[in-house]
Amino acid sequence: MTDVFHELAEVPGVAEDPIAQSEISTLTRRFEQGQETAAREFGIVKSDLTAVRLQLGSLDQKVGSLDETVKQLAEEMRGLNTKLDRNQAQIVELLSALVGKNPNES
């Protein structure tokens, strides 16, 4: 669009009008500043997006590691529950065997 402003400056009548020239210069400068600001802000957003992607990748790895740890702990808990059930069954058997016996007898 900067070219459009420069083309307007070459139109007969406009080139001779100092107010029009001043306004065109001001508009051109504002437009160019707006473009620079937009480009700078786009760069910032792009940089932030890259940082977020890296953090997401890191979090994804951590979640994968935690998932594996949870699976291992669940398997260990199953093993402990099996042992606990077995021990409880042995205790019940021993207590059942003792029922009706005289505690003073050997």
Side-chain angles (χ1 to χ4, degrees):
M1 288 188 91
T2 305
D3 294 334
V4 173
F5 290 121
H6 292 295
E7 288 174 13
L8 284 175
E10 297 172 4
V11 173
V14 173
E16 296 136 14
D17 185 357
I19 295 173
Q21 284 294 322
S22 173
E23 289 179 12
I24 289 172
S25 294
T26 300
L27 289 172
T28 302
R29 186 174 53 254
R30 286 182 186 167
F31 177 78
E32 289 171 349
Q33 287 172 345
Q35 281 186 321
E36 290 172 7
T37 300
R40 186 173 45 253
E41 289 174 355
F42 177 76
I44 291 168
V45 169
K46 189 175 176 181
S47 174
D48 289 348
L49 181 59
T50 300
V52 167
R53 285 182 178 159
L54 290 173
Q55 289 175 349
L56 282 175
S58 176
L59 287 173
D60 188 44
Q61 289 176 348
K62 289 177 182 179
V63 166
S65 176
L66 286 174
D67 187 43
E68 185 61 34
T69 302
V70 167
K71 286 178 184 178
Q72 290 173 352
L73 288 172
E75 188 61 36
E76 289 176 16
M77 287 300 295
R78 281 190 214 79
L80 288 174
N81 284 338
T82 302
K83 285 181 181 180
L84 186 59
D85 289 344
R86 198 171 349 149
N87 288 342
Q88 285 177 344
Q90 288 175 345
I91 290 170
V92 169
E93 284 178 29
L94 291 171
L95 289 174
S96 296
L98 290 174
V99 172
K101 288 192 176 183
N102 186 348
N104 296 325
E105 292 180 10
S106 310

